[in-house]
Amino acid sequence: MIRRRKALKNIGLITGGILTLPYNCSFEPQISYSNFPLLKKKEQDLIADICDIILPTDFNNFPTLETREHFVLTMINDCLDNEKRIEFSVGLNSFQNEIFEVKKNNFHDLSLDEKNNIVAKFIDNEKSEIGIFLNYLKHYSLIHFETSENYMINYLNYEFMPGRYHGGVKVKV
Protein backbone atom coordinates (compact mmCIF):
# COMPACT_ATOMS: atom_id res chain seq x y z
CA MET A 1 0.00 0.00 0.00
CA ILE A 2 2.80 2.42 0.87
CA ARG A 3 4.67 1.65 -2.33
CA ARG A 4 1.59 2.47 -4.39
CA ARG A 5 1.20 5.86 -2.66
CA LYS A 6 4.88 6.63 -3.15
CA ALA A 7 4.67 5.62 -6.82
CA LEU A 8 1.58 7.80 -7.38
CA LYS A 9 3.30 10.70 -5.62
CA ASN A 10 6.39 10.34 -7.82
CA ILE A 11 4.29 10.07 -10.98
CA GLY A 12 2.42 13.24 -9.98
CA LEU A 13 5.68 15.12 -9.34
CA ILE A 14 7.21 14.00 -12.62
CA THR A 15 4.07 14.88 -14.57
CA GLY A 16 3.84 18.28 -12.92
CA GLY A 17 7.52 18.95 -13.60
CA ILE A 18 7.18 18.00 -17.25
CA LEU A 19 4.08 20.15 -17.70
CA THR A 20 5.70 23.24 -16.14
CA LEU A 21 8.98 22.82 -18.02
CA PRO A 22 7.95 24.85 -21.12
CA TYR A 23 6.82 27.73 -18.91
CA ASN A 24 10.03 27.88 -16.89
CA CYS A 25 12.56 27.41 -19.65
CA SER A 26 13.47 29.73 -22.45
CA PHE A 27 14.29 27.87 -25.62
CA GLU A 28 15.99 30.91 -27.18
CA PRO A 29 19.72 30.72 -26.74
CA GLN A 30 20.87 33.69 -24.70
CA ILE A 31 24.50 34.61 -24.36
CA SER A 32 25.57 35.79 -20.96
CA TYR A 33 28.55 38.05 -20.44
CA SER A 34 30.60 37.63 -17.29
CA ASN A 35 31.09 41.33 -16.60
CA PHE A 36 27.47 42.19 -17.45
CA PRO A 37 25.47 39.48 -15.67
CA LEU A 38 22.35 41.66 -15.46
CA LEU A 39 22.27 42.49 -19.18
CA LYS A 40 18.90 41.24 -20.38
CA LYS A 41 17.87 40.08 -23.85
CA LYS A 42 15.90 43.30 -24.35
CA GLU A 43 19.03 45.38 -23.71
CA GLN A 44 21.11 43.17 -26.00
CA ASP A 45 18.52 43.73 -28.74
CA LEU A 46 18.70 47.48 -28.10
CA ILE A 47 22.48 47.41 -28.51
CA ALA A 48 22.06 45.40 -31.73
CA ASP A 49 19.61 47.99 -33.08
CA ILE A 50 21.94 50.87 -32.23
CA CYS A 51 24.93 49.13 -33.82
CA ASP A 52 22.87 48.53 -36.95
CA ILE A 53 21.93 52.22 -37.07
CA ILE A 54 25.56 53.30 -36.63
CA LEU A 55 26.89 50.92 -39.27
CA PRO A 56 24.34 48.76 -41.14
CA THR A 57 25.30 45.12 -41.48
CA ASP A 58 25.71 43.59 -44.92
CA PHE A 59 26.14 39.84 -44.50
CA ASN A 60 26.05 39.23 -48.26
CA ASN A 61 29.09 41.35 -49.14
CA PHE A 62 30.92 41.34 -45.81
CA PRO A 63 30.22 38.04 -44.04
CA THR A 64 31.58 37.53 -40.55
CA LEU A 65 31.74 34.58 -38.22
CA GLU A 66 29.61 36.23 -35.53
CA THR A 67 26.89 38.84 -35.33
CA ARG A 68 27.84 42.43 -34.71
CA GLU A 69 25.91 42.45 -31.43
CA HIS A 70 27.84 39.46 -30.12
CA PHE A 71 31.19 40.87 -31.28
CA VAL A 72 30.56 44.32 -29.75
CA LEU A 73 29.34 42.94 -26.44
CA THR A 74 32.21 40.46 -26.24
CA MET A 75 34.77 43.20 -26.90
CA ILE A 76 33.17 45.50 -24.33
CA ASN A 77 33.00 42.64 -21.84
CA ASP A 78 36.60 41.53 -22.37
CA CYS A 79 38.56 44.64 -23.38
CA LEU A 80 37.24 47.43 -21.20
CA ASP A 81 38.40 47.85 -17.64
CA ASN A 82 35.94 48.06 -14.77
CA GLU A 83 35.69 51.86 -14.81
CA LYS A 84 34.90 51.98 -18.53
CA ARG A 85 32.38 49.14 -18.22
CA ILE A 86 30.60 51.19 -15.55
CA GLU A 87 30.61 54.19 -17.93
CA PHE A 88 29.12 51.95 -20.61
CA SER A 89 26.37 50.68 -18.29
CA VAL A 90 25.54 54.19 -17.09
CA GLY A 91 25.37 55.37 -20.70
CA LEU A 92 23.09 52.47 -21.64
CA ASN A 93 20.72 53.30 -18.77
CA SER A 94 20.79 57.01 -19.64
CA PHE A 95 20.04 56.21 -23.28
CA GLN A 96 17.07 54.04 -22.33
CA ASN A 97 15.74 56.72 -19.96
CA GLU A 98 16.19 59.43 -22.59
CA ILE A 99 14.30 57.45 -25.21
CA PHE A 100 11.47 56.72 -22.81
CA GLU A 101 11.23 60.34 -21.61
CA VAL A 102 11.39 61.92 -25.07
CA LYS A 103 9.48 59.42 -27.20
CA LYS A 104 7.46 57.53 -24.55
CA ASN A 105 8.30 54.48 -26.61
CA ASN A 106 10.91 51.78 -27.06
CA PHE A 107 13.81 52.37 -29.44
CA HIS A 108 12.84 49.29 -31.41
CA ASP A 109 9.37 50.71 -32.15
CA LEU A 110 10.63 54.02 -33.59
CA SER A 111 10.92 54.68 -37.31
CA LEU A 112 14.28 54.53 -39.04
CA ASP A 113 14.49 58.32 -39.38
CA GLU A 114 13.78 58.83 -35.68
CA LYS A 115 16.42 56.27 -34.75
CA ASN A 116 18.98 57.95 -37.01
CA ASN A 117 18.17 61.40 -35.58
CA ILE A 118 18.48 60.24 -31.98
CA VAL A 119 21.80 58.46 -32.54
CA ALA A 120 23.21 61.39 -34.56
CA LYS A 121 22.13 63.83 -31.84
CA PHE A 122 24.01 62.03 -29.07
CA ILE A 123 26.99 60.49 -30.87
CA ASP A 124 28.65 63.86 -31.52
CA ASN A 125 28.58 64.80 -27.84
CA GLU A 126 31.51 62.66 -26.66
CA LYS A 127 31.52 64.14 -23.14
CA SER A 128 28.00 63.04 -22.15
CA GLU A 129 27.19 59.62 -20.73
CA ILE A 130 25.14 58.71 -23.79
CA GLY A 131 27.88 59.96 -26.12
CA ILE A 132 30.48 57.77 -24.40
CA PHE A 133 28.15 54.78 -24.66
CA LEU A 134 27.43 55.38 -28.37
CA ASN A 135 31.10 55.95 -29.20
CA TYR A 136 32.02 52.58 -27.66
CA LEU A 137 29.39 50.97 -29.88
CA LYS A 138 30.65 52.91 -32.90
CA HIS A 139 34.28 51.96 -32.25
CA TYR A 140 33.63 48.24 -31.87
CA SER A 141 31.12 48.16 -34.75
CA LEU A 142 33.79 49.62 -37.00
CA ILE A 143 36.34 47.05 -35.80
CA HIS A 144 33.83 44.27 -36.49
CA PHE A 145 33.36 45.56 -40.04
CA GLU A 146 37.09 45.97 -40.64
CA THR A 147 37.82 42.40 -39.52
CA SER A 148 35.49 40.85 -42.07
CA GLU A 149 37.37 38.68 -44.55
CA ASN A 150 36.04 40.46 -47.65
CA TYR A 151 37.07 43.90 -46.35
CA MET A 152 40.54 42.69 -45.37
CA ILE A 153 41.20 41.00 -48.72
CA ASN A 154 39.62 43.46 -51.15
CA TYR A 155 40.24 46.79 -49.43
CA LEU A 156 43.33 46.26 -47.28
CA ASN A 157 45.05 43.74 -49.61
CA TYR A 158 45.67 41.55 -46.61
CA GLU A 159 46.99 38.03 -47.16
CA PHE A 160 46.07 35.42 -44.62
CA MET A 161 49.25 33.42 -45.21
CA PRO A 162 52.45 34.80 -43.70
CA GLY A 163 54.11 35.14 -47.08
CA ARG A 164 53.46 34.35 -50.69
CA TYR A 165 54.59 30.98 -52.04
CA HIS A 166 56.48 31.02 -55.35
CA GLY A 167 56.91 27.38 -56.35
CA GLY A 168 58.73 28.05 -59.64
CA VAL A 169 61.53 30.23 -58.30
CA LYS A 170 65.05 28.78 -58.40
CA VAL A 171 67.02 28.86 -55.19
CA LYS A 172 70.66 30.05 -55.43
CA VAL A 173 73.10 27.86 -53.62
Side-chain angles (χ1 to χ4, degrees):
M1 187 66 101
I2 293 177
R3 287 186 184 166
R4 191 178 314 156
R5 285 183 184 170
K6 195 171 188 178
L8 287 173
K9 179 182 169 185
N10 288 338
I11 289 172
L13 287 173
I14 291 171
T15 305
I18 289 174
L19 290 176
T20 60
L21 188 65
Y23 299 107
N24 296 330
C25 295
S26 173
F27 293 110
E28 279 186 30
Q30 183 174 350
I31 300 170
S32 62
Y33 299 95
S34 61
N35 293 320
F36 294 105
L38 302 177
L39 194 66
K40 300 174 189 141
K41 181 70 173 145
K42 183 178 82 169
E43 293 168 334
Q44 291 178 9
D45 292 340
L46 172 67
I47 290 172
D49 284 345
I50 295 170
C51 289
D52 199 41
I53 291 296
I54 293 173
L55 183 64
T57 39
D58 183 9
F59 283 116
N60 295 331
N61 295 325
F62 298 99
T64 55
L65 296 175
E66 57 200 359
T67 63
R68 179 158 301 145
E69 167 200 0
H70 179 60
F71 179 84
V72 168
L73 286 172
T74 301
M75 294 298 284
I76 288 170
N77 185 53
D78 295 343
C79 297
L80 296 182
D81 61 359
N82 195 28
E83 182 180 310
K84 292 182 180 180
R85 281 193 301 269
I86 291 172
E87 285 179 349
F88 180 82
S89 297
V90 167
L92 174 62
N93 292 333
S94 298
F95 185 81
Q96 288 175 325
N97 292 338
E98 183 73 25
I99 296 300
F100 189 72
E101 287 175 8
V102 172
K103 299 295 181 181
K104 304 287 188 223
N105 214 345
N106 289 331
F107 188 76
H108 183 70
D109 298 334
L110 299 176
S111 69
L112 186 62
D113 290 335
E114 289 176 321
K115 289 179 183 180
N116 284 330
N117 291 337
I118 290 171
V119 170
K121 173 181 159 185
F122 290 113
I123 204 163
D124 293 333
N125 189 1
E126 296 177 6
K127 303 289 185 202
S128 70
E129 296 170 341
I130 298 174
I132 292 170
F133 162 72
L134 291 175
N135 279 304
Y136 281 133
L137 294 181
K138 177 183 172 183
H139 174 71
Y140 289 119
S141 294
L142 191 61
I143 289 176
H144 180 255
F145 172 74
E146 290 176 344
T147 56
S148 67
E149 183 177 347
N150 192 6
Y151 179 81
M152 292 176 79
I153 291 172
N154 295 330
Y155 296 96
L156 297 180
N157 295 323
Y158 181 79
E159 294 184 24
F160 285 98
M161 292 296 291
R164 191 175 293 257
Y165 175 70
H166 299 286
V169 176
K170 292 184 180 181
V171 178
K172 296 181 183 177
V173 185

